[in-house]
Amino acid sequence: VSRRFSSLAKRYGVYLHCGSMTVRRHPGRPSNTSFLFGPDGETIAEYSKIHMFDVNIPGSVSYEESHEICPGNEIVLADTALGLFGMSICYDIRFPEQYRLLRTRAIENGCYVLAANQCGQKARFEAYGHSMIIAPDGEILAEADDTPQVLIAELDPEVLERTRNEIPSLENRRDDLYRVSSGNVRIYEE
């Protein structure tokens, strides 16, 4: 599957994020992994889902992803010609250390957010869908429903720069008070 996405990225000369797939690299449980391919078809970055979806709602849903999937242990950033992309999968967005609300993250960080989500009936649960592309000002540029879809939106560097100039919150950060440990962050550079 990843070879197919790689060839599509190369054929069309685009960056292509392939969603996520089950990848078995070692004995035991596989990982839920996503890949970002560059316009040359090469893998720019790969990320394995960190937070396992373990839920038990009596009379409704019971699913323990951690029994089947091995969690990743790195936060992944992909530094591309288009900018820096943080990668996550599905349930990861529910954790404030990585994200709170997608529109809020786009506004607070003055960045575009591309949020891909599974949809449809899975073996043990129904996935919500509603993938979206969000602008730095919080505008939803494209949103899917609960069916498989391809979303397309223009990511305008001028909008990004204007938004960051109008509200320079990134420049006003207090790095002396909060730091991210580089021990669990991998940055892929193109």
Side-chain angles (χ1 to χ4, degrees):
V1 172
S2 63
R3 277 186 244 131
R4 181 165 200 268
F5 284 106
S6 171
S7 72
L8 286 170
K10 186 173 183 175
R11 179 187 311 156
Y12 294 105
V14 297
Y15 290 91
L16 184 59
H17 182 270
C18 70
S20 67
M21 60 186 77
T22 303
V23 175
R24 188 175 302 279
R25 292 204 177 97
H26 50 78
R29 298 170 295 165
S31 61
N32 185 350
T33 303
S34 65
F35 297 88
L36 177 64
F37 298 98
D40 59 0
E42 294 297 313
T43 301
I44 292 176
E46 63 180 81
Y47 168 80
S48 293
K49 183 179 177 186
I50 295 172
H51 302 95
M52 299 295 96
F53 185 65
D54 291 349
V55 64
N56 186 2
I57 302 171
S60 180
V61 174
S62 181
Y63 178 65
E64 291 184 345
E65 184 178 33
S66 61
H67 288 187
E68 300 171 14
I69 302 293
C70 182
N73 58 9
E74 293 180 312
I75 295 170
V76 172
L77 302 172
D79 193 4
T80 74
L82 297 176
L84 192 63
F85 289 86
M87 296 177 69
S88 65
I89 297 172
C90 197
Y91 192 52
D92 286 331
I93 66 170
R94 300 284 182 165
F95 294 85
E97 295 80 8
Q98 259 181 302
Y99 306 92
R100 284 195 195 276
L101 300 172
L102 294 176
R103 291 179 77 184
T104 302
R105 291 291 75 92
I107 294 167
E108 288 175 350
N109 292 297
C111 66
Y112 286 96
V113 173
L114 289 68
N117 199 4
Q118 295 182 48
C119 62
Q121 186 64 47
K122 306 302 173 195
R124 297 190 179 143
F125 64 95
E126 181 151 356
Y128 177 68
H130 294 273
S131 297
M132 58 179 66
I133 301 172
I134 305 161
D137 62 2
E139 178 187 358
I140 297 174
L141 301 176
E143 181 177 6
D145 56 24
D146 59 356
T147 62
Q149 296 177 13
V150 173
L151 298 180
I152 298 173
E154 182 177 344
L155 307 184
D156 187 343
E158 290 178 14
V159 170
L160 185 63
E161 184 177 350
R162 184 178 66 245
T163 302
R164 287 181 176 178
N165 287 336
E166 289 173 357
I167 304 175
S169 58
L170 294 177
E171 293 174 19
N172 298 322
R173 293 175 56 227
R174 291 283 312 271
D175 288 331
D176 59 321
L177 298 178
Y178 38 81
R179 297 191 188 281
V180 174
S181 165
S182 62
N184 65 343
V185 177
R186 178 177 293 183
I187 300 176
Y188 289 84
E189 294 189 45
E190 189 175 10

